[in-house]
Amino acid sequence: MLIKRPQIGAISENEVTPESIYLSRRSVLKALGIVAASGVALNARGGVFDDLLGGDKPASEAPRSPLPYTKDNQTHGLILTPENKVTSHNNYYEFGTDKTDPAANSQHLKTQPWTLTVEGEVEQPGTIDLWEMIHTSALEERIYRMRCVEAWSMVIPWLGVELGSILKKFKPTSRAKYVAFETLYDPEQMPGQKSRRIGGGIQYPYVEGLRIDEAMHPLTLLSVGLYGKTLPPQNGAPVRLVVPWKYGFKGIKSIVKIRLMETQPPTTWNLLAPNEYGFYANVNPNVDHPRWSQASERFIGPGGPFSSTRQKTLMFNGYEEAVASLYAGMDLRKFY
Ligand code: MTE
């Protein structure tokens, strides 16, 4: 068993995730020949030793600017995950598969200028100058639960705008039934896109999708910041999706393209392991992952760097009242 010496403020994956899950998600990668047979994941620079040390701390962190925003005055009784944990325990396979790789390897990502294309089933296709959008929009803070499919969770104060308000400006046609999202494809900047081993065997660019009613739902956020400032690169700077009632992998990072479509778009984790990760990916404690239970989760909250508490997972991640009607009559075991 690999013993890691974690950094201060970072949480090693096996601290917050039962070993069975920690190892079994890697076994998908192993089956694909991505992870060394010993079970030791090589990090973004291929260094077993770096992995043993729990990854590198970024030599210099990308600067983040404070943003004006309307505060979320309802704390909803939620306890926030400290900022240093939100920004040091990440999944962003373009920068490596270890939880500390994204913070270590993404700080150079060039996020200015940034253009977001909106195309497909819209009357007025076009582009968004992302930084102009950030500076001219009324940004809102949204304190949301975030539940990873790996059975850990956080509570994060995001900043952003409702995705629906953006999409409406491009006038979706009546044929727009789905919305597809695409991450930047730039192997020079994203080492995981250059190498199957570093990037977890994913076929890049990372892609995601929502049904149009999910995309238009007022809880669905196009996020440009967290904890009062612009997003750090490891969390998906400069713009990512946040859909709080779905597993975290739906929250695609560093988006460059949005395409409205008549048919259901392919999604990255579903392409990789369709029997394990569905298109819908709604948080559901009653439908287990084929290899582990989804009934409970380890909440990464305040406390020592490695502390976490086990809690019950809530239906639709606690947003049942707001979103259950979207799935009325659907068999959620089939549409997982
Ligand atoms: N987006 C891209 N482009 N690449 C990724 O590897 N990982 C997803 C999602 N978005 C991922 C991504 C997964 S599995 C999770 S759980 C969340 O990002 C993690 O978001 P966080 O690092 O901000 O907690």
Side-chain angles (χ1 to χ4, degrees), residues 163-164 167 172 175-181 208-218 220 241 243 245-246 250 258-267 278-282 316 322-332 335-336:
L163 174 65
L167 295 182
R175 287 184 300 277
K177 305 276 182 346
Y178 294 90
V179 185
F181 304 86
E208 257 307 334
L210 295 172
R211 233 171 43 189
I212 190 81
D213 54 348
E214 297 174 326
M216 292 294 184
H217 193 282
T220 303
L241 186 65
V243 194
W245 69 95
K246 292 180 180 281
K250 299 295 286 183
I258 298 180
R259 185 174 185 82
L260 285 84
M261 298 173 66
E262 198 163 10
T263 52
Q264 184 176 302
T267 56
F279 173 80
Y280 282 91
N282 291 319
F316 294 114
V323 301
S325 61
L326 298 178
Y327 311 102
M330 279 176 71
D331 179 352
L332 299 180
F335 297 101
Y336 55 92

Side-chain angles (χ1 to χ4, degrees), residues 69-279:
Y69 62 93
T70 313
K71 234 180 141 28
D72 187 345
N73 286 320
Q74 302 156 281
T75 59
H76 318 279
L78 297 171
I79 295 164
L80 296 185
T81 299
E83 186 173 359
N84 67 328
K85 295 186 182 179
V86 174
T87 60
S88 63
H89 179 269
N90 301 99
N91 277 333
Y92 198 171
Y93 281 23
E94 284 86 338
F95 296 100
T97 57
D98 229 32
K99 291 289 181 280
T100 49
D101 285 343
N105 303 325
S106 68
Q107 301 305 315
H108 58 82
L109 182 71
K110 192 169 176 280
T111 57
Q112 296 198 35
W114 195 274
T115 306
L116 190 52
T117 306
V118 183
E119 58 184 36
E121 289 297 343
V122 282
E123 281 172 29
Q124 295 172 355
T127 55
I128 297 169
D129 174 331
L130 204 265
W131 289 98
E132 189 187 315
M133 187 198 98
I134 290 177
H135 294 305
T136 56
S137 301
L139 300 179
E140 286 180 52
E141 179 185 52
R142 296 282 180 95
I143 297 172
Y144 284 158
R145 297 180 191 85
M146 202 273 249
R147 168 64 154 83
C148 178
V149 74
E150 296 164 342
W152 53 264
S153 69
M154 295 188 181
V155 170
I156 303 175
W158 300 105
L159 304 183
V161 289
E162 286 181 15
L163 174 65
S165 71
I166 302 288
L167 295 182
K168 276 180 202 153
K169 292 186 183 159
F170 294 84
K171 300 195 185 327
T173 71
S174 58
R175 287 184 300 277
K177 305 276 182 346
Y178 294 90
V179 185
F181 304 86
E182 203 173 295
T183 291
L184 175 71
Y185 182 71
D186 186 347
E188 288 311 313
Q189 292 200 81
M190 296 176 152
Q193 293 181 338
K194 254 189 181 166
S195 148
R196 248 173 91 80
R197 177 178 54 76
I198 297 169
I202 287 175
Q203 212 185 313
Y204 292 101
Y206 194 100
V207 288
E208 257 307 334
L210 295 172
R211 233 171 43 189
I212 190 81
D213 54 348
E214 297 174 326
M216 292 294 184
H217 193 282
L219 286 177
T220 303
L221 204 66
L222 205 52
S223 173
V224 296
L226 59 82
Y227 266 105
K229 289 171 277 177
T230 48
L231 287 173
Q234 59 269 34
N235 291 87
V239 61
R240 68 170 291 165
L241 186 65
V242 176
V243 194
W245 69 95
K246 292 180 180 281
Y247 290 119
F249 66 83
K250 299 295 286 183
I252 182 171
K253 298 178 172 182
S254 307
I255 305 168
V256 290
K257 197 192 283 181
I258 298 180
R259 185 174 185 82
L260 285 84
M261 298 173 66
E262 198 163 10
T263 52
Q264 184 176 302
T267 56
T268 285
W269 278 95
N270 180 250
L271 288 171
L272 200 64
N275 59 323
E276 303 199 353
Y277 308 103
F279 173 80

